[in-house]
């Protein structure tokens, strides 16, 4: 599952999907002509790499930051059908992404979990009893929701039983329906690992800086290894720009582009400990200005979001304003008036940028989340817009277009195979077997010196890859000295040796989500992790200080300290 198959002069080499393999992978990229090169290592790029590699294409992917470092680690962390888009009459979008939810869940039940969502309706609210009932019924129909997860209508008393913290004044009842909670960054990593298993050559911290042409047709890219500053060429028959918020920046390097462009909008989330905000139930609610906001319990925390405002600054470091923070605190106060959450109760936060397609005169929340594929005269294919939920279908559409191009040359790569293809960690025989898999893993964990509870936790995080993670528990026994607890050691070593972690921020943000949901743990263990990685990677004092500062900056940003 973490092994990369590399084809070289008829031989097959096995290279682990690890930082220590970057040099070998880059050497392969220099010498291998590719069918497809993907620029961008978010969920869209990962999905395209998996789809194309599973059809038998020779695939390469480069990402200028870490995988999922852009929008794909900064979403609301829901694989959801976009109920609010029904209000905008985007029926096709709701139908498509609604059906995709179940596919994403089946292919990776360890990173996607059904989450019952409460949609309360009030006397003076946007939604009434009948509009909520009808809307959810249409939603169930369009999304092809299975019988056990179809909407239920709750009375006022039933809604309050589900979530006692709800505003009581004017409450009439609620709609109750299923969405899917996910870890967006881990979903991206698992799709990427599966693409690598299928033969794709993938590397992070590698930036596409210039296009190569022959007779005005794109034939490759000049890349720069961000870590070493060395430049090299990758040759490819087809190149896809899947860079999310950087789509226009990449297109500007090409001589030909259409008149379409992106409109970036920013979304902010805040995280509060459940001792301060004891939320029991995920709630999707109206705010005073008519926007919809989620409040979701997760890992002993409650997180609330999102805002939706235009954004024109650097998408690498989207910042949170005082206005953003106040908006979400007022939204909590509006729907949960007895909670009394204050600024000092916010433990962590994140901001993300949505790469939407510009529409004249529309407010941020009105712009369509639909994706589009653009082709330039040079042959560059760009995928723009879209939602996390629809990543697999977006990838299918892009790769179908690439397949059509190859068909003209007499090469046949067939149809999409990802609809029933488990991602890395998803090989458990279907979602209905997941709980029995967890129970079995809990028993198995004991023989690796983990507790049953730790075994359950790791199995839920890593799925069918958990036995490899468990093996580090035994390795831990052989160590003469280790400053880390066994479970943290196991997760760190797995990330280093099987998930291409380069920096401490990669581990604490995108491989574990800890900066967002367990920031106290990060502050406790950041120095021992840094020391362990320095020893493992051979960093000098300057490199250690650089990575320490980078992590401290991210912690401060999450805490609104910068």
């Amino acid at each position: 599952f973490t092994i990369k198959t590399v084809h070289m002069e008829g031989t097959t080499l096995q290279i682990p999907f690890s930082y220590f393999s970057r040099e070998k992978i880059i050497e392969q990229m220099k010498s291998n002509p590719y069918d497809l090169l993907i620029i961008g290592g978010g969920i869209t790029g990962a999905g395209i790499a998996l789809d194309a590699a599973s059809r038998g294409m020779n695939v390469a992917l480069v990402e200028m930051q870490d995988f999922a470092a852009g929008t794909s680690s900064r979403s609301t962390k829901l694989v959801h059908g976009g109920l609010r888009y029904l209000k905008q009459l985007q029926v096709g979008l709701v139908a498509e992404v609604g059906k995709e939810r179940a596919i994403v869940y089946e292919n990776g039940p360890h990173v996607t979990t059904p989450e019952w969502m409460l949609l309360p309706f009030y006397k003076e609210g946007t939604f009434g009893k009948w509009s909520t009932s009808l809307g959810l019924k249409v939603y169930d129909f369009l999304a092809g929701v299975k019988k056990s997860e179809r909407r239920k209508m709750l009375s006022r008393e039933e809604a309050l039983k589900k979530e006692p913290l709800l505003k009581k004044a004017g409450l009439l009842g609620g709609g109750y329906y299923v969405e899917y909670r996910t870890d967006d960054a881990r979903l991206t990593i698992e799709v990427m690992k599966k693409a690598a298993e299928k033969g794709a050559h993938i590397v992070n911290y590698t930036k596409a800086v210039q296009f190569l042409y022959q007779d005005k047709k794109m034939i490759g890219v000049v890349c720069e290894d961000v870590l070493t500053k060395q430049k090299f060429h990758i040759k490819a028959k087809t190149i896809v720009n899947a860079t999310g918020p950087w789509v226009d920046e990449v297109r500007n390097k090409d001589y030909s582009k259409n008149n379409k462009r992106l409109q970036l909008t920013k979304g902010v989330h805040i995280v509060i400990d459940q001792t301060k905000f004891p939320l029991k139930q995920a709630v999707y609610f109206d705010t005073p200005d008519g926007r919809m906001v989620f409040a979701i319990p997760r890992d002993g925390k409650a997180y609330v979001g999102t805002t939706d405002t235009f954004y024109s600054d650097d998408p690498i470091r989207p910042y949170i304003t005082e206005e953003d923070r106040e908006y979400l605190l007022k939204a909590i106060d509006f729907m949960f008036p007895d909670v009394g959450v204050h600024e000092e109760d916010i433990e962590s936060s994140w901001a993300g940028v949505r790469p939407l397609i510009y529409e004249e005169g529309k407010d941020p929340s009105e712009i369509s989340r639909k994706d589009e594929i653009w082709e330039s005269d040079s042959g560059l294919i760009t995928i723009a817009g879209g939602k996390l939920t629809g990543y697999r279908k977006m990838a299918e559409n892009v790769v179908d277009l690439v397949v059509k191009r190859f068909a003209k040359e007499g090469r046949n790569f067939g149809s999409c195979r990802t609809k029933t293809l488990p991602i890395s960690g998803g090989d458990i025989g279907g979602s209905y077997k997941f709980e029995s898999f967890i129970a079995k893993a809990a028993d198995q964990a004991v023989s690796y010196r983990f507790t049953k509870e730790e075994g359950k936790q790791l199995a839920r995080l890593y799925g069918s890859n958990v036995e490899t993670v468990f093996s580090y528990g035994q390795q831990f026994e052989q160590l003469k000295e280790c400053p880390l607890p066994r479970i943290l050691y196991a997760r760190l070593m797995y990330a280093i040796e099987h998930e291409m972690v380069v920096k401490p921020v990669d581990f604490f943000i995108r491989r574990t989500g800890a900066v967002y949901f367990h920031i106290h743990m990060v502050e406790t263990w950041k120095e021992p992790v840094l020391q362990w990685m320095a020893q493992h990677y051979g960093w000098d004092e300057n490199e250690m200080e650089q990575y320490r500062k980078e992590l401290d900056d991210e912690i401060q940003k999450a805490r609104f300290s910068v």
Side-chain angles (χ1 to χ4, degrees):
F1 57 91
T2 57
I3 299 300
K4 187 175 186 59
T5 306
V6 181
H7 305 284
M8 187 176 78
E9 297 177 1
T11 64
T12 301
L13 306 176
Q14 298 297 318
I15 301 181
F17 191 62
S18 160
Y19 163 82
F20 299 103
S21 302
R22 288 183 83 255
E23 198 174 317
K24 288 181 183 176
I25 295 167
I26 288 171
E27 283 304 312
Q28 290 300 305
M29 288 178 162
K30 289 177 184 177
S31 57
N32 248 5
Y34 291 95
D35 296 319
L36 178 65
L37 168 62
I38 301 145
I39 305 170
I43 189 61
T44 307
I48 294 167
L50 176 56
D51 190 314
S54 66
R55 298 196 208 193
M57 285 187 202
N58 196 11
V59 177
L61 180 147
V62 294
E63 162 58 46
M64 69 174 180
Q65 303 181 84
D66 183 29
F67 306 123
T71 305
S72 297
S73 58
R74 301 167 184 270
S75 73
T76 304
K77 305 187 188 300
L78 289 174
V79 174
H80 68 108
L83 176 64
R84 76 184 181 88
Y85 306 129
L86 273 184
K87 286 172 72 177
Q88 300 168 357
L89 300 178
Q90 295 184 47
V91 175
L93 178 62
V94 174
E96 183 174 292
V97 297
K99 289 183 176 72
E100 283 298 307
R101 295 181 316 166
I103 296 170
V104 175
Y105 173 48
E106 280 303 318
N107 290 340
H110 61 304
V111 285
T112 310
T113 308
E115 178 93 42
W116 280 93
M117 190 74 63
L118 175 60
L119 177 64
F121 49 86
Y122 287 82
K123 201 169 184 178
E124 305 296 329
T126 303
F127 292 95
K129 180 178 179 179
W130 299 114
S131 62
T132 301
S133 179
L134 179 62
L136 289 176
K137 192 169 186 177
V138 171
Y139 184 69
D140 282 350
F141 172 74
L142 291 173
V145 175
K146 56 189 175 187
K147 197 171 182 180
S148 63
E149 294 183 356
R150 288 178 192 160
R151 69 95 168 93
K152 303 167 186 175
M153 296 304 294
L154 306 179
S155 66
R156 181 181 191 276
E157 292 70 27
E158 288 170 329
L160 285 171
K161 192 172 180 182
K162 294 288 183 190
E163 185 43 74
L165 297 175
L166 285 176
K167 177 175 65 173
K168 295 169 184 65
L171 178 65
L172 300 175
Y176 203 48
Y177 69 106
V178 168
E179 293 286 22
Y180 289 78
R181 182 163 51 85
T182 192
D183 183 323
D184 48 6
R186 284 219 56 82
L187 174 64
T188 303
I189 296 297
E190 299 292 33
V191 175
M192 203 71 80
K193 285 155 62 182
K194 190 67 174 183
E197 179 191 329
K198 291 290 181 182
H201 298 174
I202 296 168
V203 70
N204 52 5
Y205 293 102
T206 303
K207 185 175 183 178
V209 293
Q210 184 184 333
F211 290 122
L212 301 170
Y213 301 90
Q214 185 175 314
D215 300 327
K216 290 200 165 184
K217 291 296 179 184
M218 203 172 279
I219 60 164
V221 169
V222 179
C223 289
E224 180 182 313
D225 183 338
V226 175
L227 303 178
T228 65
K229 306 304 180 189
Q230 291 183 338
K231 290 184 179 176
F232 61 96
H233 291 189
I234 303 177
K235 296 289 184 70
K237 291 187 174 70
T238 306
I239 298 167
V240 170
N241 171 15
T243 55
W246 294 272
V247 151
D248 285 344
E249 184 181 319
V250 171
R251 290 166 73 225
N252 286 337
K253 299 180 195 300
D254 186 18
Y255 73 84
S256 66
K257 57 182 282 193
N258 61 21
N259 58 2
K260 296 268 192 172
R261 65 180 175 88
L262 290 187
Q263 172 66 71
L264 303 184
T265 71
K266 183 181 69 175
V268 169
H269 297 79
I270 58 176
V271 181
I272 300 153
D273 195 85
Q274 284 190 311
T275 57
K276 301 284 186 181
F277 185 8
L279 187 71
K280 287 171 52 179
Q281 163 70 53
V283 182
Y284 189 34
F285 62 95
D286 258 340
T287 57
D289 65 356
R291 286 202 67 253
M292 300 292 291
V293 166
F294 289 100
I296 301 170
R298 172 175 164 164
D299 296 343
K301 313 292 176 184
Y303 71 98
V304 180
T306 178
T307 59
D308 203 356
T309 53
F310 288 129
Y311 187 77
S312 57
D313 292 327
D314 186 357
I316 282 186
R317 283 183 66 86
Y319 52 85
I320 299 172
T321 65
E322 195 172 324
E323 191 179 359
D324 295 328
R325 182 173 51 204
E326 285 303 309
Y327 180 90
L328 293 176
L329 287 172
K330 283 178 181 173
I332 294 170
D333 193 49
F334 174 73
M335 185 50 60
F336 309 98
D338 297 333
V339 173
V341 170
H342 303 289
E343 183 181 318
E344 59 269 23
D345 297 322
I346 300 172
E347 276 193 3
S348 188
S349 63
W350 69 87
V353 176
R354 305 178 192 88
L356 308 179
I357 299 164
Y358 176 77
E359 294 179 65
E360 182 74 38
K362 289 203 173 182
D363 289 333
S365 296
E366 296 174 327
I367 299 175
S368 173
R369 270 55 175 170
K370 187 82 180 79
D371 57 280
E372 289 185 16
I373 298 171
W374 305 330
E375 292 184 83
S376 76
D377 292 341
S378 65
L380 178 67
I381 296 172
T382 294
I383 176 79
K387 290 171 56 61
L388 173 75
T389 309
Y391 86 86
R392 192 204 64 84
K393 191 66 181 175
M394 289 162 62
E396 180 181 341
N397 293 338
V398 169
V399 180
D400 280 350
L401 177 58
V402 176
V403 167
K404 282 181 185 174
R405 287 190 181 183
F406 281 120
K408 292 175 184 175
E409 301 174 11
R411 297 180 69 193
N412 180 23
F413 287 105
S415 57
C416 178
R417 300 171 189 178
T418 59
K419 196 169 185 178
T420 56
L421 179 65
I423 61 176
S424 183
D427 293 295
I428 59 168
S431 63
Y432 69 98
K433 292 184 176 179
F434 191 53
E435 289 307 317
S436 61
F437 166 80
I438 298 296
K440 186 178 176 184
D443 292 334
Q444 188 184 10
V446 177
S447 63
Y448 292 94
R449 307 295 181 88
F450 293 103
T451 66
K452 283 194 173 187
E453 277 308 307
E454 287 172 335
K456 286 181 184 177
Q457 180 189 346
L458 292 172
R460 288 191 186 281
L461 287 166
Y462 297 100
S464 56
N465 294 333
V466 74
E467 196 166 345
T468 306
V469 184
F470 283 165
S471 69
Y472 290 105
Q474 280 186 333
Q475 190 182 94
F476 185 82
E477 288 298 306
Q478 316 304 318
L479 299 174
K480 290 181 180 177
E481 197 174 322
C482 181
L484 306 172
R486 185 191 310 270
I487 191 168
L488 184 56
Y489 170 82
R491 295 192 70 183
L492 177 60
M493 290 304 298
Y494 180 78
I496 288 171
E497 297 189 344
H498 300 281
E499 295 188 332
M500 207 173 277
V501 156
V502 173
K503 305 176 179 182
V505 289
D506 303 340
F507 177 68
F508 280 121
I509 296 178
R510 290 169 288 276
R511 303 305 183 279
T512 64
V515 166
Y516 301 149
F517 294 103
H518 302 284
I519 199 163
H520 296 304
M521 183 275 276
V522 179
E523 291 168 332
T524 300
W525 294 106
K526 65 178 182 177
E527 194 59 33
V529 165
L530 185 73
Q531 296 286 348
W532 187 261
M533 288 184 74
Q535 180 184 327
H536 219 72
Y537 289 101
W539 296 334
D540 60 28
E541 280 300 321
N542 287 337
E543 288 171 309
M544 274 187 69
E545 188 51 42
Q546 175 192 330
Y547 293 139
R548 182 183 288 114
K549 183 180 185 308
E550 192 173 53
L551 180 56
D552 285 342
D553 285 349
E554 290 294 340
I555 293 169
Q556 287 179 338
K557 190 169 74 166
R559 287 196 178 282
F560 300 111
S561 301
V562 288

